[in-house]
Amino acid sequence: MKLEKILDKLGSIEKNSFIKIIDNIISKNPQNGKEIEKILSSSDKGLKTVDNQNISNIFDLTEGEFQEHIRCEFQEITSQLDILIDIIIRDGNCIMKQDWFSRLYETEIKHLKTRIKGLNEDFDNDKSELSAIRKRDYKIYKSCLHTAYHNDIQNNRDSKITSDELSIILTLSKQLGLSQEEVKLINYSILPIKKLDVQDVIKGLKNIGVIFFSNKENTIYVADEMLRMLRKVREKEVAPKFYRRTLKLLREPIINQIGREHNIDRKLSYAQKIEEIIKEGVSFTSLLLDDIYKQGSTLTERKKDLNELCEKGLNISNLKGSTLDDKISSLIEHFDNVERDEKVGISLDGFDKMLAELNQSLPKLNKQIKDQFELQDEFVLKAHFLLDYNIKPRDILDLILKSDVSKFIKDHGIKQRGDHILNILEHYKDVENLYLENYKNVAYRNLNVLKENGITVKESELGIKFEELTKVIFKGLGFNVDDVFRNTLNTQKDMMDILLNLDHNEIIIVECKTSKERGYNKFSSVSRQLKAYQNLALKNDLRIVKILLVAPEFSDDFVTDCEMDMEMNLSLITASTLSNISEAFKTSKYTEFPHVLFRDIVINEERIIKALSK
């Protein structure tokens, strides 16, 4: 869930810790101070009175400083911050009830203690599966950490690890090629580990600004923007879902090779090994630099293998970069862009239909998704629900076994040639709803955004398409969009776009205008056009209840000219307002939109949505 949306759900007290941290960063002249000052200049009373959208913008501008603030918290090595952050950055843990978080935390502590016991036994057992080289690496790291933690006792001070010691320890762990989970196990084999009170844990995380806690809903929220930052702090370059997508393209011998390197049980199934590699925190970069290739492969062969993995497996062509490091950085950047992108790829209705049919074909899928993403709700295959957790259609399909995907495709008559997952996504695209979700972009004639959202259309067709979509919206509002009656009224010279027939010789005339330019500003030409339609209707003894002009937006001058016009009963409505009213109408008690609500010069979205909700 986006930061702005979370802030909208919370009270001022629940946001207070987060606001204080940003306020403190701002007071220390951050790198983007000038841009922040421009946002704050509109408010006389500081950050607390800034709206949630601008708080989100300021957070983006202070990302570097906020990240450093969190890194500093790691210097308190007994805080269990690594354990807690590793829980909340897993896919699906961005929204959790307190009792669910408590259960996950308790399970993690028990799991850690069991694995620490096993690791200590491996240290003492000459016949353990740990290789001699790996055992040596573990012992070197453990000895250095032990010295760093206990050397304070000799100087009559409390045991702790200083920031200088911590930086050396971190460098050592990287040079030894230890995964984050291996580091964690060794750390807590020396440092005391005990289960803390969950309310103290939540309070601590809230105070350092990484989570929000809603007292009313008893729920923890972690913003999508914060999750990306926390992964950077934990040096996890990609989200688990993208890591999984990549690992599933590798043959089992390669997965076994990675497992041996990081002390992962070879008796586990292929899928379980993949999950363990992700949980281990094995660096994605080091994996693609060294771990996935045959022993002795040359640099040229590695580049070729990585290109094939991306092009044939991940459908990413022309990976940027000439060196292996550059190519890996480009892949990480690609996954980051996909995660930041709010586009679902198919319509919401299409997503819901896909989930319903998957649930019908694969009865165990709901439990699989619930377990995979550690979701608390019993039934999770709902589009809006999953999108709040930033789980998209592709993420669901990635978890299904290839044999089940093939069966699903055959059962539902989906194209079988080519990439099966892409074929499924195309099948559920639901073009009309996808267009409706991009109604505003059609109004703005924004071809590039439409293309990115999976819509291919010629610019010359956008005006007609906007008119068609507007008709669909008014039909959805319960109006009689009467094309037959309109055609009998229209002449070769005067052709109104949409006529809403209210019966008893009463009509609403709707005119649709698209525009690339910001602020529609052609009142004189459009008013002549609308007055011609008005005269046409009056000649046919029709009563015009309202004339509506739909456009992407209107300039101040246009609104003023409209206010001064006394000849037409004209109201202006933006494309986004009409779209939002349509969404609100779907959940209202009305079967037909009460057109008396169209009474403003510029239609007031907030007032109408409030009226519909009563």
Side-chain angles (χ1 to χ4, degrees):
M1 193 178 285
K2 295 280 181 261
L3 176 60
E4 183 186 346
K5 190 174 177 182
I6 292 173
L7 293 172
D8 286 341
K9 294 170 76 73
L10 302 172
S12 56
I13 294 173
E14 294 164 334
K15 297 185 267 192
N16 204 30
S17 298
F18 179 75
I19 299 290
K20 274 184 179 176
I21 293 164
I22 294 182
D23 232 346
N24 187 47
I25 290 170
I26 293 170
S27 69
K28 295 178 181 176
N29 297 319
Q31 184 179 354
N32 295 316
K34 287 182 180 178
E35 289 91 335
I36 294 167
E37 193 56 42
K38 284 179 187 175
I39 296 172
L40 292 175
S41 61
S42 60
S43 170
D44 298 330
K45 297 178 182 177
L47 192 60
K48 286 188 178 180
T49 59
V50 171
D51 63 53
N52 293 330
Q53 184 180 12
N54 276 320
I55 289 175
S56 179
N57 292 337
I58 290 171
F59 175 70
D60 287 340
L61 291 168
T62 59
E63 183 181 349
E65 291 84 0
F66 208 111
Q67 194 170 311
E68 193 52 41
H69 149 74
I70 296 170
R71 287 188 196 280
C72 289
E73 295 293 331
F74 271 88
Q75 290 180 19
E76 181 51 63
I77 202 159
T78 57
S79 68
Q80 296 185 4
L81 200 53
D82 51 353
I83 297 172
L84 299 169
I85 286 181
D86 284 351
I87 292 172
I88 64 179
I89 63 176
R90 290 179 202 153
D91 293 330
N93 285 352
C94 55
I95 305 171
M96 292 179 282
K97 293 288 185 185
Q98 179 179 309
D99 63 330
W100 187 251
F101 173 67
S102 177
R103 201 179 309 175
L104 292 176
Y105 170 60
E106 189 175 341
T107 302
E108 192 69 16
I109 295 293
K110 285 179 183 175
H111 178 67
L112 267 174
K113 285 182 176 178
T114 302
R115 291 201 62 193
I116 288 166
K117 185 180 177 183
L119 183 68
N120 288 334
E121 287 172 356
D122 281 340
F123 275 135
D124 299 328
N125 184 1
D126 293 334
K127 295 181 180 179
S128 76
E129 290 190 1
L130 271 177
S131 68
I133 294 173
R134 206 58 179 156
K135 194 179 285 190
R136 182 209 63 185
D137 293 342
Y138 285 178
K139 284 182 176 177
I140 290 171
Y141 179 79
K142 186 175 182 179
S143 297
C144 293
L145 184 68
H146 185 278
T147 301
Y149 185 64
H150 289 287
N151 60 6
D152 294 300
I153 297 172
Q154 296 171 7
N155 298 315
N156 203 25
R157 293 195 298 262
D158 289 336
S159 293
K160 67 175 184 178
I161 294 176
T162 66
S163 58
D164 288 341
E165 289 171 334
L166 184 61
S167 66
I168 293 169
I169 292 293
L170 288 173
T171 302
L172 178 64
S173 69
K174 285 178 186 174
Q175 292 303 311
L176 292 173
L178 303 181
S179 71
Q180 286 185 340
E181 198 65 15
E182 289 169 314
V183 167
K184 201 192 290 180
L185 289 175
I186 298 170
N187 285 355
Y188 288 107
S189 68
I190 292 172
L191 308 173
I193 182 171
K194 63 177 183 177
K195 182 178 175 289
L196 305 174
D197 181 78
V198 71
Q199 290 186 332
D200 291 337
V201 169
I202 289 172
K203 185 180 177 183
L205 291 172
K206 194 176 85 166
N207 286 344
I208 64 171
V210 300
I211 69 165
F212 295 98
F213 185 71
S214 169
N215 294 309
K216 181 181 171 184
E217 298 174 2
N218 202 30
T219 299
I220 291 167
Y221 292 97
V222 191
D224 293 344
E225 298 92 328
M226 182 61 72
L227 285 173
R228 288 192 291 271
M229 182 187 290
L230 293 176
R231 279 203 298 270
K232 285 181 187 174
V233 170
R234 292 295 288 142
E235 298 186 355
K236 294 180 188 283
E237 301 105 320
V238 296
K241 58 188 179 184
F242 299 127
Y243 206 146
R244 184 180 301 110
R245 188 179 297 177
T246 307
L247 288 172
K248 285 182 78 173
L249 298 170
L250 304 176
R251 294 181 301 108
E252 189 156 10
I254 299 295
I255 295 295
N256 289 337
Q257 181 179 303
I258 299 165
R260 277 195 300 274
E261 182 67 23
H262 295 283
N263 196 26
I264 291 168
D265 189 351
R266 282 178 287 176
K267 295 171 187 171
L268 297 173
S269 69
Y270 173 75
Q272 287 171 327
K273 284 174 195 165
I274 284 174
E275 294 307 317
E276 284 302 311
I277 291 168
I278 296 168
K279 286 177 187 174
E280 281 288 314
V282 178
S283 163
F284 188 71
T285 297
S286 68
L287 184 94
L288 297 181
L289 274 174
D290 302 304
D291 297 350
I292 67 170
Y293 308 105
K294 293 177 185 175
Q295 294 291 334
S297 59
T298 66
L299 185 58
T300 303
E301 288 169 336
R302 292 185 180 202
K303 283 184 189 178
K304 184 185 174 187
D305 288 348
L306 183 60
N307 281 335
E308 280 187 13
L309 181 78
C310 294
E311 289 173 14
K312 295 180 181 177
L314 297 168
N315 294 297
I316 305 167
S317 55
N318 302 319
L319 197 65
K320 294 177 188 174
S322 54
T323 68
L324 199 60
D325 287 281
D326 289 342
K327 288 179 182 295
I328 294 167
S329 295
S330 294
L331 180 58
I332 292 169
E333 185 182 347
H334 167 80
F335 282 141
D336 185 53
N337 291 335
V338 170
E339 188 183 14
R340 287 173 185 270
D341 196 344
E342 293 183 46
K343 297 188 289 290
V344 180
I346 63 178
S347 73
L348 287 175
D349 283 356
F351 191 8
D352 265 324
K353 187 180 178 187
M354 184 189 87
L355 290 169
E357 293 185 357
L358 280 169
N359 185 48
Q360 197 174 15
S361 294
L362 308 170
K364 294 180 181 178
L365 182 64
N366 182 67
K367 186 178 186 305
Q368 184 188 351
I369 300 302
K370 184 176 180 292
D371 293 345
Q372 181 68 65
F373 294 113
E374 297 181 328
L375 301 169
Q376 189 171 5
D377 286 38
E378 282 307 312
F379 186 75
V380 300
L381 297 180
K382 299 169 286 188
H384 279 288
F385 174 83
L386 292 172
L387 289 174
D388 274 344
Y389 290 85
N390 203 16
I391 300 169
K392 297 176 183 173
R394 175 70 194 255
D395 306 327
I396 298 295
L397 296 174
D398 277 339
L399 294 172
I400 303 172
L401 293 172
K402 286 183 179 179
S403 56
D404 286 338
V405 169
S406 299
K407 179 181 180 297
F408 180 74
I409 280 177
K410 288 175 186 174
D411 290 348
H412 290 82
I414 299 168
K415 188 173 81 172
Q416 294 183 45
R417 293 186 66 182
D419 187 290
H420 282 184
I421 286 178
L422 294 182
N423 290 345
I424 293 172
L425 293 174
E426 183 65 30
H427 182 77
Y428 289 100
K429 203 171 205 179
D430 189 356
V431 176
E432 184 178 276
N433 278 297
L434 194 58
Y435 264 113
L436 286 171
E437 287 167 20
N438 284 275
Y439 182 62
K440 184 179 172 182
N441 293 320
V442 175
Y444 275 117
R445 307 182 72 85
N446 199 330
L447 274 176
N448 289 336
V449 173
L450 290 170
K451 189 176 179 181
E452 286 171 10
N453 290 356
I455 293 173
T456 304
V457 63
K458 294 176 182 176
E459 187 172 6
S460 59
E461 298 170 353
L462 286 172
I464 297 295
K465 181 54 69 176
F466 185 58
E467 188 180 311
E468 290 172 357
L469 294 172
T470 306
K471 284 182 183 180
V472 171
I473 290 173
F474 277 109
K475 284 177 183 174
L477 291 170
F479 286 105
N480 175 14
V481 178
D482 198 337
D483 286 340
V484 175
F485 189 28
R486 182 198 60 156
N487 291 337
T488 62
L489 291 174
N490 280 350
T491 66
Q492 286 186 333
K493 184 182 175 185
D494 300 318
M495 303 179 70
M496 62 185 81
D497 289 341
I498 300 171
L499 184 146
L500 308 180
N501 192 342
L502 305 179
D503 295 329
H504 310 296
N505 287 337
E506 292 186 336
I507 64 168
I508 294 175
I509 297 171
V510 182
E511 182 67 13
C512 305
K513 296 293 182 186
T514 60
S515 176
K516 278 186 178 180
E517 299 169 12
R518 293 279 166 178
Y520 192 69
N521 197 23
K522 298 174 182 176
F523 185 79
S524 58
S525 60
V526 79
S527 65
R528 283 194 299 271
Q529 195 178 0
L530 293 175
K531 282 170 185 172
Y533 301 157
Q534 178 176 270
N535 292 333
L536 194 63
L538 293 174
K539 281 178 186 176
N540 286 275
D541 298 321
L542 298 172
R543 178 175 172 262
I544 302 169
V545 173
K546 176 65 67 177
I547 299 175
L548 288 171
L549 177 60
V550 188
E553 62 178 76
F554 302 94
S555 69
D556 292 340
D557 288 344
F558 193 101
V559 174
T560 301
D561 288 342
C562 183
E563 288 171 338
M564 299 296 287
D565 187 280
M566 299 298 173
E567 296 180 36
M568 292 185 293
N569 184 10
L570 175 62
S571 287
L572 313 177
I573 184 166
T574 65
S576 61
T577 292
L578 183 57
S579 180
N580 292 336
I581 288 172
S582 172
E583 286 302 310
F585 178 77
K586 289 175 184 176
T587 56
S588 74
K589 64 183 180 183
Y590 297 96
T591 55
E592 184 178 328
F593 182 84
H595 60 77
V596 293
L597 293 174
F598 288 144
R599 60 173 176 260
D600 310 302
I601 296 295
V602 179
I603 299 299
N604 186 318
E605 175 186 322
E606 189 178 339
R607 179 181 62 76
I608 291 179
I609 289 175
K610 192 175 180 181
L612 290 173
S613 65
K614 286 183 177 178

